[in-house]
Amino acid sequence: AQSVTQPDIHITVSEGASLELRCNYSYGATPYLFWYVQSPGQGLQLLLKYFSGDTLVQGIKGFEAEFKRSQSSFNLRKPSVHWSDAAEYFCAVAPYSGNTPLVFGKGTRLSVIA
Amino acid sequence: GAVVSQHPSRVICKSGTSVKIECRSLDFQATTMFWYRQFPKQSLMLMATSNEGSKATYEQGVEKDKFLINHASLTLSTLTVTSAHPEDSSFYICSARAGAGRTDTQYFGPGTRLTVL
């Protein structure tokens, strides 16, 4: 069965520092991968998605993610973090069957300090 | 991206009453909608999947008589928490998808905070 692992529960970075959030997936076929962000008390907003093609995907708010099949990873990166990036980040994989929902990781909470 | 709205954003009710939460896809037709529940500092827990015009499919452990889901049109799904109790207090999030393909993105509503006194 497909699954998503986000190894880091909580990460703290300084404002202006670079960021990398890890995501590993378990999937038998070509994965369709997503990153969502959730601000406190809000729903989830799609940051970016990967279906095929270029393995480096650009998203909104200056985020990017790189798909590495050999490592079964889809890590999210940002070169310079802003205080407003503090939120919960979820990695997800689309299932085999189209009519079933995304499979989410448990999330990584990002704190940004001055 | 597509917009999904939820109403109300926050509701406080007395124990034993029923609460209805609406989820609307504003600029696309959603063949499938999903309802999630989220506890503080935890990931989303899928409650049920609903397709327009058919009965919802509930996840194991979710009481379908307590959490009534109606997907009456391609732009509206409702979740009714019947005879709510304090343990039903939670953050409820809906999600909508235009198609049934793997490439069809799930768009999420802003969530509804339910507090049962």
Side-chain angles (χ1 to χ4, degrees), chain A residues 95 97-102, chain B residues 4 23-25 28-36 46 48-57 69-77 94-102 104-108:
Chain A
S97 171
N99 202 28
T100 48
L102 295 171
Chain B
V4 176
C23 175
R24 293 181 185 272
S25 56
F28 68 100
Q29 293 187 321
T31 57
T32 306
M33 287 187 172
F34 307 96
W35 286 95
Y36 295 84
L46 180 68
T49 300
S50 74
N51 293 291
E52 185 266 338
S54 61
K55 289 184 179 180
T57 301
I69 292 173
N70 185 290
H71 193 160
S73 76
L74 285 172
T75 60
L76 173 65
S77 177
C94 75
S95 176
R97 190 166 65 193
R102 291 179 64 210
D104 289 296
T105 300
Q106 273 186 239
Y107 295 98
F108 288 81

Side-chain angles (χ1 to χ4, degrees), chain B:
Chain B
V3 180
V4 176
S5 70
Q6 275 184 247
H7 178 79
S9 59
R10 186 181 296 267
V11 58
I12 301 173
C13 68
K14 292 182 179 180
S15 184
T17 61
S18 293
V19 175
K20 180 185 283 188
I21 302 170
E22 291 186 349
C23 175
R24 293 181 185 272
S25 56
L26 298 184
D27 51 2
F28 68 100
Q29 293 187 321
T31 57
T32 306
M33 287 187 172
F34 307 96
W35 286 95
Y36 295 84
R37 184 173 180 177
Q38 187 179 33
F39 293 101
K41 298 185 179 181
Q42 294 191 25
S43 188
L44 286 76
M45 182 189 79
L46 180 68
M47 298 175 67
T49 300
S50 74
N51 293 291
E52 185 266 338
S54 61
K55 289 184 179 180
T57 301
Y58 290 81
E59 295 299 299
Q60 191 172 9
V62 178
E63 299 175 60
K64 56 182 160 184
D65 293 331
K66 180 166 188 63
F67 298 99
L68 301 179
I69 292 173
N70 185 290
H71 193 160
S73 76
L74 285 172
T75 60
L76 173 65
S77 177
T78 60
L79 167 67
T80 301
V81 183
T82 62
S83 186
H85 291 282
E87 58 265 29
D88 299 323
S89 299
S90 193
F91 193 56
Y92 292 88
I93 305 176
C94 75
S95 176
R97 190 166 65 193
R102 291 179 64 210
T103 58
D104 289 296
T105 300
Q106 273 186 239
Y107 295 98
F108 288 81
T112 296
R113 172 76 57 194
L114 170 63
T115 303
V116 185
L117 303 176

Side-chain angles (χ1 to χ4, degrees), chain A residues 29-97:
Chain A
T30 301
Y32 291 0
L33 298 157
F34 303 78
W35 274 101
Y36 287 85
V37 60
Q38 183 181 30
S39 297
Q42 301 293 317
L44 275 69
Q45 181 182 23
L46 179 67
L47 283 175
L48 47 80
K49 57 188 176 184
Y50 171 78
F51 293 159
S52 65
D54 193 344
T55 56
L56 185 62
V57 181
Q58 301 298 318
I60 62 172
K61 304 185 178 187
F63 285 93
E64 65 178 25
E66 186 170 13
F67 169 63
K68 293 185 177 180
R69 185 185 297 275
S70 61
Q71 298 177 19
S72 297
S73 69
F74 188 56
N75 294 348
L76 182 72
R77 301 194 295 248
K78 187 169 184 178
S80 178
V81 169
H82 189 261
W83 64 267
S84 60
D85 293 324
E88 190 85 19
Y89 291 81
F90 293 97
C91 181
V93 63
Y96 293 110
S97 171

